[in-house]
Amino acid sequence: DPDSGDNGQLVYSLVRGQTDEFYINENTGQIFTVAVAGKTGTFNLEVQAADKGTRRLTALTTVTVTVDSSSSSNVVMLVLNQKINVVERNSAEIQRVLEDKLGWNVYVVAIYSKETERKARSSSDETQVKIIAFDEAHQEVPAEDVKRKLREQKGGIESELQKVFAAPVSAAVGEAPAAPAPSELVAAIVLGVLLAGTLIAFLAYVLLDLRRKKYRERKYEKQDLVKKGAITEGIDNPWAVDKNGSLKSLEKPEHMNN
C-alpha cells in the first residue's frame, strides 16, 4: 500500500477456508500449516489484506496451498506457567523476546491450554505456545535447533518475560504428543495381538491336555500295579486267609479237576 501512516499499514487474515489447519501472520502475510499431519492435497484459502486507516480498505485473493507427503513440521511448543488469557494479550511481546534471544524470526502459530472451558481458561496456570522460527534466508529452522537454543537461552528468556508479565515466569520446552498411528498400523497391531492371544491359548490347551493324559496314564499304571500285586501275593502264598479268617487252599476243588 503506497499510503503513509496507518493507511499504509496492512493486516492479513484468513477469511474462509481451513482456519484450524492454517495460520497467517497478520503482519507479513506468511502462511503456515498448523494441523495438516497425515493430510495431502490442495487447499484453497481466501486471504484478506486490510489497512489500518479510519475507513479501512480491503482486498481479497485466493491462495492455493499444496501439501505433499514429504511435508514436515518444525513447530516447537513452549510451555509457560501463565494463564492463557494473559499470554494471549501479550503474544506480540512474547514473540519479540523470543526473536531477541534466539536470533531468528519467530512466529507464534497458536496459543492454547489443556483446559477448554471458559472458567478453566482463566484459572489454569499452564499455557502452551506453538512457535516456528525462520532464518535470514526465510527457511524453517529445524525444530531440534530451536529446542536447543531455547534451552540455552532459558534464563534470559524467563528474565525478559518476567518483565512482560510482571511476575516470575517459567519457560520450558514441551514435547508434542506422538502422532496417532495410521489406521492400517492400528489394525495390524490389533490383529497381531489377537493372533498372539490365540496362539497362547492354544499352547495352554495343548499343555493342559498333555498333563491330563499323563495323569490318566499314571493313574491306570497304579491301578495295574495294585492288581498285579494282589495276584502275586495270592500265588506266592499257597495258603490264603478267607474273609472269615480261616485258611484255605488255592488248589482247585475236586469238581473242577473233572
Side-chain angles (χ1 to χ4, degrees), residues 64-244:
T64 301
V65 179
T66 301
V67 179
D68 60 36
S69 59
S70 63
S71 297
S72 61
S73 175
N74 285 308
V75 175
V76 175
M77 183 192 302
L78 185 66
V79 182
L80 303 178
N81 64 334
Q82 300 293 319
K83 293 179 175 60
I84 185 172
N85 53 351
V86 178
V87 174
E88 288 172 337
R89 289 199 302 266
N90 294 280
S91 61
E93 287 299 305
I94 294 172
Q95 178 177 324
R96 177 189 60 79
V97 170
L98 293 175
E99 288 184 336
D100 180 60
K101 295 301 178 182
L102 300 181
W104 296 311
N105 292 323
V106 174
Y107 301 100
V108 176
V109 176
I111 299 174
Y112 64 98
S113 173
K114 293 180 180 178
E115 307 292 344
T116 56
E117 296 181 4
R118 183 176 300 178
K119 292 181 180 179
R121 282 172 59 85
S122 60
S123 62
S124 177
D125 289 329
E126 183 176 289
T127 301
Q128 289 81 27
V129 181
K130 283 187 174 182
I131 63 172
I132 189 169
F134 287 83
D135 58 21
E136 294 180 354
H138 302 290
Q139 298 297 317
E140 290 185 15
V141 179
E144 291 305 316
D145 292 345
V146 178
K147 292 178 181 179
R148 175 180 52 79
K149 200 71 172 289
L150 284 170
R151 294 187 179 102
E152 292 175 355
Q153 299 296 324
K154 177 177 171 63
I157 292 172
E158 291 178 342
S159 178
E160 289 299 315
L161 290 179
Q162 183 172 337
K163 299 175 183 178
V164 174
F165 294 104
V169 176
S170 171
V173 177
E175 295 298 332
S183 57
E184 295 84 0
L185 179 58
V186 173
I189 293 173
V190 172
L191 180 59
V193 171
L194 290 176
L195 289 175
T198 303
L199 179 60
I200 292 173
F202 175 75
L203 292 176
Y205 172 79
V206 171
L207 292 175
L208 182 60
D209 187 62
L210 289 175
R211 292 186 62 181
R212 287 176 177 174
K213 287 182 179 179
K214 288 183 178 179
Y215 174 78
R216 287 196 296 267
E217 290 174 357
R218 290 177 181 176
K219 183 178 179 180
Y220 293 147
E221 288 175 0
K222 288 181 179 179
Q223 291 177 351
D224 290 339
L225 289 174
V226 170
K227 291 179 180 179
K228 290 179 181 178
I231 295 172
T232 303
E233 181 181 359
I235 294 174
D236 291 342
N237 183 10
W239 298 96
V241 180
D242 63 12
K243 58 183 177 181
N244 294 324

Side-chain angles (χ1 to χ4, degrees), residues 35-52:
V36 293
K39 297 182 180 180
T40 59
T42 301
F43 303 85
N44 293 318
L45 309 178
E46 191 167 0
V47 179
Q48 174 181 277
D51 63 26
K52 294 184 178 180

Side-chain angles (χ1 to χ4, degrees), residues 24-57:
I24 187 169
N25 183 283
E26 65 175 9
N27 296 315
T28 65
Q30 288 180 295
I31 297 173
F32 307 94
T33 58
V34 177
V36 293
K39 297 182 180 180
T40 59
T42 301
F43 303 85
N44 293 318
L45 309 178
E46 191 167 0
V47 179
Q48 174 181 277
D51 63 26
K52 294 184 178 180
T54 305
R55 299 180 62 181
R56 301 184 67 180
L57 299 178

